[in-house]
Amino acid sequence: MIVRDIQDVPAVVEHGVEGVTARWPIREEDGAPHFAMRVFDVAQGVSTPLHEHWWEHEVYVLAGQGYVEGPEARHELRPGTVVFVPGGEQHHFVNAGAEPLRFICLIPHRWLEGVKREA
Protein backbone atom coordinates (compact mmCIF):
# COMPACT_ATOMS: atom_id res chain seq x y z
CA MET A 1 0.00 0.00 0.00
CA ILE A 2 1.15 3.51 -0.80
CA VAL A 3 -0.22 6.57 0.98
CA ARG A 4 0.93 10.06 0.02
CA ASP A 5 0.04 13.66 0.70
CA ILE A 6 -0.68 15.28 -2.66
CA GLN A 7 1.46 18.28 -1.66
CA ASP A 8 4.49 15.94 -1.55
CA VAL A 9 4.07 15.12 -5.25
CA PRO A 10 5.74 17.64 -7.60
CA ALA A 11 3.50 19.65 -9.94
CA VAL A 12 4.58 19.72 -13.59
CA VAL A 13 3.29 21.93 -16.42
CA GLU A 14 0.99 19.88 -18.65
CA HIS A 15 0.12 20.35 -22.32
CA GLY A 16 2.82 23.06 -22.50
CA VAL A 17 0.34 25.55 -20.99
CA GLU A 18 1.42 27.80 -18.11
CA GLY A 19 -1.35 27.64 -15.55
CA VAL A 20 -2.12 23.96 -16.19
CA THR A 21 -0.24 21.65 -13.84
CA ALA A 22 -0.57 18.01 -12.93
CA ARG A 23 0.70 15.89 -10.07
CA TRP A 24 1.08 12.16 -10.63
CA PRO A 25 0.44 10.59 -7.19
CA ILE A 26 -0.08 7.04 -8.52
CA ARG A 27 1.96 5.69 -11.42
CA GLU A 28 2.96 2.39 -12.92
CA GLU A 29 6.28 2.69 -11.07
CA ASP A 30 4.26 2.51 -7.83
CA GLY A 31 2.92 -0.93 -8.77
CA ALA A 32 -0.38 0.23 -10.29
CA PRO A 33 -0.54 -2.05 -13.34
CA HIS A 34 -3.40 -0.47 -15.29
CA PHE A 35 -4.10 3.18 -14.51
CA ALA A 36 -2.30 6.36 -13.51
CA MET A 37 -3.87 9.00 -11.29
CA ARG A 38 -3.24 12.64 -12.05
CA VAL A 39 -4.43 15.67 -10.07
CA PHE A 40 -4.79 18.73 -12.30
CA ASP A 41 -4.87 22.37 -11.30
CA VAL A 42 -6.08 24.83 -13.94
CA ALA A 43 -5.54 28.48 -13.03
CA GLN A 44 -8.25 31.14 -13.25
CA GLY A 45 -9.00 32.06 -16.88
CA VAL A 46 -6.86 29.20 -18.28
CA SER A 47 -7.85 26.04 -20.18
CA THR A 48 -6.30 22.86 -21.40
CA PRO A 49 -5.92 22.83 -25.21
CA LEU A 50 -8.74 21.38 -27.29
CA HIS A 51 -7.42 17.90 -28.08
CA GLU A 52 -8.27 14.25 -28.59
CA HIS A 53 -6.49 10.91 -28.18
CA TRP A 54 -7.33 7.22 -28.24
CA TRP A 55 -7.51 6.78 -24.46
CA GLU A 56 -10.40 7.59 -22.16
CA HIS A 57 -10.46 9.87 -19.12
CA GLU A 58 -12.34 9.44 -15.88
CA VAL A 59 -12.49 12.76 -14.03
CA TYR A 60 -13.70 13.82 -10.58
CA VAL A 61 -13.82 17.55 -9.78
CA LEU A 62 -12.46 18.48 -6.36
CA ALA A 63 -12.58 22.29 -6.35
CA GLY A 64 -13.37 25.33 -8.46
CA GLN A 65 -15.85 26.14 -11.20
CA GLY A 66 -15.58 25.73 -14.95
CA TYR A 67 -16.70 23.59 -17.81
CA VAL A 68 -15.63 20.75 -20.05
CA GLU A 69 -16.40 21.23 -23.71
CA GLY A 70 -16.54 18.83 -26.61
CA PRO A 71 -17.74 19.09 -30.21
CA GLU A 72 -21.41 18.79 -29.32
CA ALA A 73 -21.84 20.12 -25.79
CA ARG A 74 -20.52 22.16 -22.91
CA HIS A 75 -20.99 20.85 -19.37
CA GLU A 76 -20.60 22.86 -16.19
CA LEU A 77 -18.07 21.65 -13.61
CA ARG A 78 -18.20 22.10 -9.83
CA PRO A 79 -16.96 20.06 -6.87
CA GLY A 80 -18.48 16.57 -7.01
CA THR A 81 -18.98 16.52 -10.80
CA VAL A 82 -17.90 13.30 -12.52
CA VAL A 83 -16.90 13.25 -16.21
CA PHE A 84 -16.24 10.40 -18.62
CA VAL A 85 -14.48 11.41 -21.85
CA PRO A 86 -14.35 8.47 -24.29
CA GLY A 87 -11.30 7.94 -26.46
CA GLY A 88 -11.36 9.84 -29.73
CA GLU A 89 -13.59 12.67 -28.48
CA GLN A 90 -12.30 16.26 -28.67
CA HIS A 91 -12.39 18.02 -25.31
CA HIS A 92 -10.87 20.65 -23.10
CA PHE A 93 -11.29 21.77 -19.49
CA VAL A 94 -11.81 25.49 -18.81
CA ASN A 95 -11.54 27.30 -15.50
CA ALA A 96 -14.37 29.85 -15.44
CA GLY A 97 -14.19 30.56 -11.72
CA ALA A 98 -12.24 32.69 -9.27
CA GLU A 99 -10.12 29.89 -7.80
CA PRO A 100 -8.09 27.04 -9.31
CA LEU A 101 -10.10 24.27 -10.98
CA ARG A 102 -8.79 21.04 -9.43
CA PHE A 103 -9.72 17.57 -10.64
CA ILE A 104 -8.56 13.99 -10.47
CA CYS A 105 -8.02 12.39 -13.89
CA LEU A 106 -7.42 8.65 -14.39
CA ILE A 107 -5.81 7.36 -17.57
CA PRO A 108 -4.50 3.97 -18.73
CA HIS A 109 -0.76 3.38 -18.69
CA ARG A 110 -0.63 2.22 -22.31
CA TRP A 111 -0.72 5.84 -23.52
CA LEU A 112 2.74 6.29 -21.99
CA GLU A 113 4.42 3.73 -24.26
CA GLY A 114 7.16 5.54 -26.14
CA VAL A 115 6.46 8.85 -24.40
CA LYS A 116 9.08 10.31 -22.08
CA ARG A 117 7.61 12.02 -19.04
CA GLU A 118 9.28 13.73 -16.13
CA ALA A 119 8.70 11.97 -12.81
Side-chain angles (χ1 to χ4, degrees):
M1 181 182 306
I2 295 173
V3 178
R4 292 188 172 108
D5 185 309
I6 193 64
Q7 298 307 317
D8 294 335
V9 179
V12 295
V13 172
E14 287 285 327
H15 303 293
V17 177
E18 289 298 323
V20 177
T21 60
R23 298 172 192 266
W24 293 69
I26 300 174
R27 304 172 301 169
E28 191 169 23
E29 296 89 338
D30 297 318
H34 304 290
F35 291 92
M37 177 185 286
R38 305 178 298 173
V39 177
F40 275 85
D41 283 303
V42 181
Q44 180 182 11
V46 177
S47 70
T48 62
L50 184 63
H51 65 286
E52 67 180 86
H53 35 67
W54 69 262
W55 65 87
E56 67 192 64
H57 291 312
E58 287 83 13
V59 172
Y60 179 75
V61 179
L62 298 169
Q65 304 287 320
Y67 58 90
V68 60
E69 189 169 34
E72 297 179 19
R74 172 194 247 188
H75 301 279
E76 298 300 314
L77 300 174
R78 64 184 179 285
T81 303
V82 175
V83 179
F84 172 69
V85 180
E89 184 172 307
Q90 279 195 329
H91 60 282
H92 70 149
F93 292 84
V94 179
N95 182 342
E99 64 181 80
L101 176 63
R102 175 173 276 190
F103 55 90
I104 296 169
C105 180
L106 302 176
I107 58 171
H109 286 306
R110 284 190 11 213
W111 86 272
L112 294 171
E113 291 175 7
V115 175
K116 184 175 179 173
R117 169 181 68 76
E118 293 182 30

